[in-house]
Amino acid sequence: MKEAQPRTIFLKDYKKPPFLIDETVLHFDLNEKNAIVRSRLDVRRNPDADSRPKDLYLDGVELELNSVAVDGVLLNKGQYEELSEGLKVLDVADTFVLECETLIRPQENTCLEGLYKSSSMFCTQCEAEGFRRITYYLDRPDVMSRFKTTICADNSLYPVLLSNGNETDKGDLDNGRHFVTWEDPFRKPCYLFALVAGNLLNIDDQYTTMTGRKVDLRMFVEPQNKDKCEHALNSLKASMKWDEEVYGREYDLDIFMIVAVDDFNMGAMENKGLNIFNSSCVLAKPDTATDATYQRIEAIVAHEYFHNWSGNRVTCRDWFQLSLKEGFTVFRDAEFSADMNSRTVKRIEDVNLLRTAQFAEDAGPMSHPVRPASFIEISNFYTLTIYEKGAEVVGMIHRLLGAELFRKGSDLYFERHDGQAVTTDDFIQAMQDASGKDLTQFKRWYDIAGTPVIDVDYSYDKSAQTFTLTLKQSCPSSNAGDAVEPFHIPFAFALLDSNGCNIPLIQQDDAVFANAPTELVLDFVEQEQTFVFQHIEKTPVPSLLRGFSAPVRLKETHSRDQLLFLMSNETDGFNRWDAGQKLAVDIIRSMSEDYIKGEPLSVDSRLIEAYRGLLISKSIDKALLSKMLLLPSESYLIELSEVANVDAIHHARNFVRDTLANQLKPELMQCYHDNSDLDVPYSADFTSIARRSLKNTALALLLSAGDPDALALAESQYANAENMTDQSASLIALVNSDFSEQREAALKSFYARWSKDPQVVEQWLSIQCGSPKYGTLENVKSLMSHEAFDIKNPNKVRSVIGAFCNQSLVNFHMASGAGYEFLADNVIKLNTLNPQIASRLVTPLTRWKKFDQDRQALMQGQLKRILGEESLSKDVYEVVSKSIK
Ligand code: TRP
Ligand code: ZN
């Protein structure tokens, strides 16, 4: 793709921009074969720059330059140089107006960066470095400019023409064309620029801000989707209100627009005043979207909206600071979701993702700190580490400071840096200045890669009535050598008595007895640190790392009996769930060893009784119960293994699942029926979601064990479902069952009913390809020649290839290596079409370290085959070259 040798960019080489662009005036002529872009940039030298170069260098990729002029005078060939990825304007003055005309080909753009076409509309994606595919520019986030954009296009094909800010002019032109001009009053980096043109409908709403300003909310969709906007608009209003209440942040323009597009590399993009969404992350109605989709939409709409402050008003100085906006914004959206739904369930979901996928990333070849020190292709760093671990780091600051001081810190941060492009150090500094807490040691979290490990040791001294807790930390880090200095770890801790009550925690020198806390956030700052608690009358059970207060691996010390106790008595909801997970992990792991040895399998009856207890409990919260009934996933079990035997894990886990189903049939049936009397119409409130989830978990358990009564329930649920949650849950249960005739019939009727709805078709594809039972390589390959598949559409690629490689693990890891070869074939194909998608897709092959020697060799072989390809994109090159031993 790129002729230039892949070059590594280092944070330490950061230099202030030598030139600034005060004003950017853009003019787009959108045509059926190409687009003509004219730009007028008010350029001046940056008075704070470190150097004074003679020439102006601008970024530009795959642009055809028609003309370039300075101060109204066309330049001739000797006055500028066209470079492979840029333009050099020679010998420039201190202040001047630069005008360029370039030709681009959106219709041929399959990488979905810059300006491209998605079905019949034009749209843009500029983060991180897509703007340089539109026109020559200083494409870096610390160059902030005021944008004025005029779009000209055919009136009948593209009646709607959008860009950032406010509409300031419009009119008709010759030849059935028209134009609209938009002006954004806020200075912004070009990665926040957006343009949309199409035949779109708008669904409108309004929001009154805390100071009484009326904001128009306008969602643009293709006509067939007009009944899928309500949930996103409700989520948007809820986010706007929440950001006012929790952060004191108000929206700043008079209009906020959301556009849904079908072809999109990621979930959504926070372009100023004009958020663009992947259709699958914004469109919903009850009969086509599941509960999970409803919740994802709520979270993503909030995430993009929150970026207006954490990202847009205060932006990043350079892309090494990406987590400044992403980590903080994920923290903000997670808190929002927790407030809107069940806080415990939200925490469980987030920690599950972190421990399964981020920990794996951090133990793999692409491991990097929250603030990376270098990269080849920035698109490769939109990772779980930047987003999820970045959010954990902000969450730890929140825990260390408390809500009030954290708010003081965020107020200071927004006030101090409004309109600026800043660094994670600036964020920490604001938190430190506002709170008076020293965060020097804490900053290590930003710069050291790897997941810290905590060893726990504790003892109870009956005669002294003391409980002693000793914590030791270490970190297998890829970038800090052997001498990793200790992290500042907030370690939330409690002691439970035999009734499950929290015991007052009195540390050695505490004088006051009466108001002793029952939960402490211990400041764990040394390599090894001991905490002693006084006046403990009986042997307690410790509750460790409550709420998962830090992103670490805790070396477990609880016995199975202690875990059973915690499963029913923990007062911390997250830890209660986690106790169940730990018990199940322990049991499944020892059963996989039995499986490998060829010994008969049996399930520790204490697990079955614990599940029975949960199912018949009258007091447990349904949202929590619905999570507790799910066994740890195969991916998580693999992540926890030194060397993972996928077949053994799969069989042991299935054996536990089937045993639970067989032994708990009456309780599961009861659970199904107790939770299937939901009122219609559909509601996506979290109590209804929890009940549907409970019912469907019970159904899936029963059906996977081959229960014929469950088959009848599944078939009738499939036929009568009033919403997509119930319909797809019954389909999933059938697909994962042995009832092949019924499964085929359901798959067929589902497609017949929904073939015109891309979001539902994506689910239909991923249900099949992600099923260990049905997602065989043969089925996946045949789905790739199905009319529903389109390799140019990222959602389809994720639903088919992504689902197979990440979820149908026994098939992907089949001993022949055919799964690996299939993935490599498709990575190679996508490398030329869409490098971002190709390089994300390749991830499972980079996890070779987890598997046996034979599989390692096969996976490495495929990575080497990819690396041997000619014209490898920077994206794929970086991931693959770093993954080869
Ligand atoms: N800033 C976006 C978000 O997190 C991420 C994003 C959207 C993105 N589209 C992208 C990143 C394309 C890289 C490439 O909300
Ligand atoms: Zn984001």
Side-chain angles (χ1 to χ4, degrees):
M1 286 237 82
K2 318 267 160 55
E3 303 108 66
Q5 273 290 332
R7 195 166 61 92
T8 302
I9 321 281
F10 294 91
L11 168 59
K12 65 174 168 37
D13 294 340
Y14 173 81
K15 294 258 164 14
K16 288 186 194 122
F19 295 92
L20 302 173
I21 303 173
D22 292 318
E23 188 143 329
T24 302
V25 181
L26 299 172
H27 184 283
F28 290 84
D29 253 311
L30 305 178
N31 308 307
E32 286 319 286
K33 288 231 153 62
N34 57 41
I36 306 291
V37 184
R38 282 186 272 141
S39 68
R40 204 193 75 209
L41 313 179
D42 287 345
V43 185
R44 89 183 136 90
R45 284 186 189 273
N46 179 359
D48 301 328
D50 311 299
S51 65
R52 198 177 183 289
K54 277 170 51 218
D55 310 327
L56 167 71
Y57 174 84
L58 299 166
D59 304 292
V61 172
E62 286 175 30
L63 304 173
E64 295 172 34
L65 181 63
N66 286 345
S67 68
V68 47
V70 167
D71 292 330
V73 181
L74 276 178
L75 299 190
N76 57 47
K77 287 276 182 228
Q79 294 172 296
Y80 64 91
E81 282 171 25
E82 277 184 77
L83 311 171
S84 69
E85 298 204 335
L87 177 73
K88 208 188 238 174
V89 185
L90 305 173
D91 258 330
V92 295
D94 288 349
T95 311
F96 56 98
V97 176
L98 182 80
E99 287 167 284
C100 285
E101 184 179 299
T102 49
L103 181 148
I104 53 178
R105 302 180 190 279
Q107 292 80 359
E108 289 162 34
N109 179 345
T110 58
C111 69
L112 314 185
E113 296 172 79
L115 178 64
Y116 63 94
K117 276 203 101 169
S118 176
S119 45
S120 65
M121 64 173 120
F122 286 95
C123 64
T124 55
Q125 171 55 40
C126 294
E127 187 177 6
E129 297 179 337
F131 193 77
R132 61 187 63 185
R133 293 171 175 273
I134 294 176
T135 187
Y136 288 107
Y137 205 76
L138 294 172
D139 189 358
R140 43 187 293 169
D142 55 355
V143 172
M144 299 172 77
S145 183
R146 256 177 307 276
F147 281 72
K148 178 174 174 179
T149 305
T150 299
I151 311 162
C152 307
D154 185 274
N155 206 344
S156 58
L157 292 173
Y158 312 101
V160 172
L161 304 174
L162 309 173
S163 190
N164 319 84
N166 306 306
E167 190 184 289
T168 55
D169 195 9
K170 66 173 161 191
D172 288 324
L173 302 164
D174 293 341
N175 303 321
R177 292 172 73 82
H178 71 141
F179 78 93
V180 178
T181 300
W182 292 83
E183 288 181 54
D184 183 351
F186 292 93
R187 289 165 68 247
K188 65 168 177 289
C190 64
Y191 83 86
L192 291 171
F193 170 82
L195 172 161
V196 170
N199 185 1
L200 305 172
L201 280 184
N202 51 303
I203 307 297
D204 294 356
D205 207 329
Q206 205 176 53
Y207 180 78
T208 306
T209 70
M210 60 187 184
T211 61
R213 277 193 312 110
K214 291 212 186 331
V215 178
D216 287 324
L217 312 178
R218 197 159 289 170
M219 183 158 164
F220 291 89
V221 293
E222 290 174 281
Q224 72 274 15
N225 294 323
K226 66 170 191 300
D227 57 349
K228 289 183 167 186
C229 297
E230 191 184 310
H231 180 58
L233 284 165
N234 287 339
S235 304
L236 175 60
K237 288 183 283 183
S239 321
M240 294 176 91
K241 186 151 194 291
W242 187 90
D243 213 17
E244 291 177 349
E245 289 172 358
V246 179
Y247 283 84
R249 298 290 127 192
E250 190 179 6
Y251 186 60
D252 51 13
L253 284 163
D254 298 331
I255 180 167
F256 187 88
M257 297 177 279
I258 286 180
V259 182
V261 305
D262 285 343
D263 302 280
F264 205 70
N265 282 349
M266 305 271 279
M269 180 62 212
E270 70 266 22
N271 316 300
K272 183 79 188 188
L274 179 55
N275 287 2
I276 299 182
F277 279 69
N278 186 325
S279 299
S280 72
C281 298
V282 74
L283 299 177
K285 60 179 174 184
D287 42 339
T288 64
T290 62
D291 291 342
T293 301
Y294 268 78
Q295 298 209 297
R296 189 175 69 216
I297 289 171
E298 181 181 67
I300 299 181
V301 167
H303 179 97
E304 306 311 331
Y305 173 72
F306 296 155
H307 268 316
N308 192 52
W309 276 97
S310 49
N312 301 3
R313 288 289 286 258
V314 181
T315 195
C316 301
R317 186 191 74 172
D318 55 73
W319 291 120
F320 299 100
Q321 319 298 328
L322 182 57
S323 199
L324 172 73
K325 74 177 177 81
E326 296 305 346
F328 187 21
T329 305
V330 171
F331 172 74
R332 278 151 55 69
D333 83 56
E335 284 292 305
F336 167 74
S337 294
D339 284 347
M340 296 295 127
N341 303 286
S342 153
R343 179 164 286 270
T344 300
V345 165
K346 176 63 180 159
R347 189 66 189 141
I348 289 168
E349 287 167 350
D350 288 348
V351 174
N352 221 359
L353 175 66
L354 188 84
R355 288 201 300 210
T356 305
Q358 195 278 326
F359 282 16
E361 178 173 281
D362 227 350
M366 280 292 287
S367 167
H368 56 276
V370 170
R371 178 166 62 187
S374 69
F375 59 75
I376 292 176
E377 170 54 62
I378 185 57
S379 300
N380 284 330
F381 287 78
Y382 287 76
T383 59
L384 291 149
T385 300
I386 301 295
Y387 279 69
E388 278 21 84
K389 187 177 180 181
E392 292 297 318
V393 171
V394 175
M396 287 191 284
I397 298 176
H398 189 273
R399 210 181 259 273
L400 289 170
L401 267 54
E404 215 169 292
L405 289 178
F406 185 90
R407 169 65 194 272
K408 263 182 84 181
S410 72
D411 282 352
L412 181 60
Y413 169 72
F414 289 130
E415 182 194 321
R416 200 181 258 178
H417 299 297
D418 191 9
Q420 298 177 4
V422 302
T423 64
T424 50
D425 287 331
D426 295 317
F427 180 78
I428 299 284
Q429 195 61 50
M431 287 292 163
Q432 183 164 302
D433 291 349
S435 67
K437 300 237 158 130
D438 183 357
L439 295 172
T440 317
Q441 184 184 356
F442 184 83
K443 277 168 113 173
R444 211 178 293 286
W445 283 106
Y446 283 90
D447 292 316
I448 309 294
T451 308
V453 179
I454 302 187
D455 275 292
V456 183
D457 198 16
Y458 53 82
S459 58
Y460 174 63
D461 183 335
K462 177 106 192 102
S463 58
Q465 305 226 321
T466 55
F467 182 89
T468 304
L469 175 74
T470 301
L471 303 176
K472 271 186 226 162
Q473 56 168 302
S474 58
C475 182
S477 167
S478 58
N479 72 332
D482 302 329
V484 183
E485 299 286 309
F487 291 85
H488 184 172
I489 298 173
F491 192 92
F493 174 77
L495 288 174
L496 303 177
D497 69 17
S498 57
N499 301 316
C501 293
N502 287 43
I503 302 171
L505 298 173
I506 299 146
Q507 294 202 60
Q508 242 158 349
D509 32 29
D510 283 353
V512 208
F513 195 92
N515 291 325
T518 55
E519 174 176 316
L520 281 175
V521 180
L522 304 172
D523 274 309
F524 176 28
V525 294
E526 314 279 343
Q527 216 91 53
E528 177 171 347
Q529 212 170 331
T530 295
F531 303 88
V532 180
F533 303 92
Q534 309 276 3
H535 310 290
I536 309 294
E537 285 161 17
K538 283 190 191 130
T539 314
V541 177
S543 169
L544 306 168
L545 201 71
R546 307 192 105 207
F548 205 68
S549 62
V552 298
R553 289 179 201 269
L554 196 61
K555 286 268 190 71
E556 196 42 45
T557 58
H558 286 122
S559 64
R560 282 190 187 179
D561 283 326
Q562 280 179 320
L563 291 172
L564 285 161
F565 170 83
L566 292 171
M567 265 178 92
S568 41
N569 294 296
E570 233 318 348
T571 50
D572 180 83
F574 171 82
N575 271 14
R576 185 169 178 192
W577 167 80
D578 202 26
Q581 294 290 295
K582 285 170 175 163
L583 182 63
V585 164
D586 191 36
I587 287 170
I588 295 170
R589 287 176 100 176
S590 68
M591 287 171 60
S592 359
E593 281 160 29
D594 293 341
Y595 177 87
I596 293 167
K597 287 187 229 140
E599 284 168 16
L601 301 186
S602 76
V603 182
D604 186 331
S605 61
R606 288 175 293 183
L607 184 71
I608 297 161
E609 291 320 309
Y611 267 65
R612 195 190 310 280
L614 291 172
L615 280 164
I616 61 177
S617 161
K618 292 275 172 283
S619 60
I620 189 167
D621 169 55
K622 292 199 179 203
L624 177 60
L625 176 59
S626 75
K627 290 289 167 194
M628 291 195 76
L629 291 181
L630 293 174
L631 290 172
S633 68
E634 290 180 1
S635 321
Y636 185 50
L637 291 159
I638 290 172
E639 210 290 314
L640 290 175
S641 315
E642 195 69 46
V643 176
N645 183 320
V646 181
D647 290 308
I649 287 172
H650 180 70
H651 280 99
R653 185 180 180 279
N654 280 3
F655 191 88
V656 172
R657 188 195 62 194
D658 296 350
T659 309
L660 288 170
N662 291 327
Q663 309 250 327
L664 300 172
K665 180 173 170 182
E667 291 82 1
L668 289 166
M669 281 289 182
Q670 190 64 44
C671 175
Y672 182 88
H673 290 295
D674 286 349
N675 292 290
S676 51
D677 61 334
L678 282 175
D679 291 333
V680 280
Y682 172 89
S683 157
D685 67 280
F686 80 92
T687 343
S688 309
I689 289 178
R691 296 188 63 200
R692 275 190 291 273
S693 158
L694 262 179
K695 172 186 72 174
N696 288 322
T697 302
L699 180 67
L701 267 174
L702 289 165
L703 200 57
S704 62
D707 186 90
D709 298 327
L711 175 64
L713 287 180
E715 287 198 284
S716 104
Q717 178 171 322
Y718 179 77
N720 303 317
E722 300 271 358
N723 57 68
M724 182 49 72
T725 306
D726 286 343
Q727 191 174 145
S728 80
S730 48
L731 181 66
I732 291 169
L734 286 166
V735 167
N736 285 318
S737 77
D738 285 318
F739 300 105
S740 53
E741 203 178 299
Q742 290 84 349
R743 168 218 298 153
E744 296 300 330
L747 281 171
K748 213 169 145 209
S749 83
F750 191 91
Y751 184 73
R753 177 161 176 202
W754 297 113
S755 63
K756 297 276 175 303
D757 188 307
Q759 286 82 54
V760 185
V761 170
E762 283 156 24
Q763 294 179 61
W764 179 76
L765 291 167
S766 77
I767 287 170
Q768 298 174 73
C769 299
S771 158
K773 196 142 232 159
Y774 194 79
T776 60
L777 187 54
E778 200 192 341
N779 287 341
V780 170
K781 282 184 174 166
S782 89
L783 280 169
M784 284 180 69
S785 30
H786 192 279
E787 58 167 16
F789 185 75
D790 173 8
I791 197 160
K792 290 190 182 150
N793 178 269
N795 290 356
K796 299 293 187 299
V797 170
R798 283 184 275 259
S799 305
V800 174
I801 309 170
F804 171 71
C805 301
N806 292 295
Q807 289 161 53
S808 181
L809 296 167
V810 271
N811 296 306
F812 174 64
H813 289 286
M814 76 186 100
S816 70
Y820 308 148
E821 187 182 1
F822 165 80
L823 175 53
D825 287 345
N826 285 292
V827 168
I828 290 168
K829 215 178 288 170
L830 278 156
N831 170 60
T832 42
L833 290 172
N834 188 330
Q836 286 187 5
I837 296 299
S839 107
R840 276 172 192 278
L841 206 60
V842 79
T843 307
L845 283 178
T846 70
R847 302 284 188 261
W848 50 268
K849 237 187 223 156
K850 276 281 168 213
F851 304 94
D852 58 71
Q853 294 296 323
D854 293 347
R855 285 184 175 80
Q856 287 198 8
L858 291 165
M859 294 170 100
Q860 286 271 324
Q862 294 304 327
L863 288 167
K864 287 185 186 134
R865 181 159 75 91
I866 298 170
L867 195 65
E869 276 295 300
E870 259 174 59
S871 63
L872 217 50
S873 61
K874 281 188 210 172
D875 309 61
V876 174
Y877 172 81
E878 176 167 41
V879 173
V880 172
S881 65
K882 288 180 177 174
S883 302
I884 287 175
K885 164 151 74 170

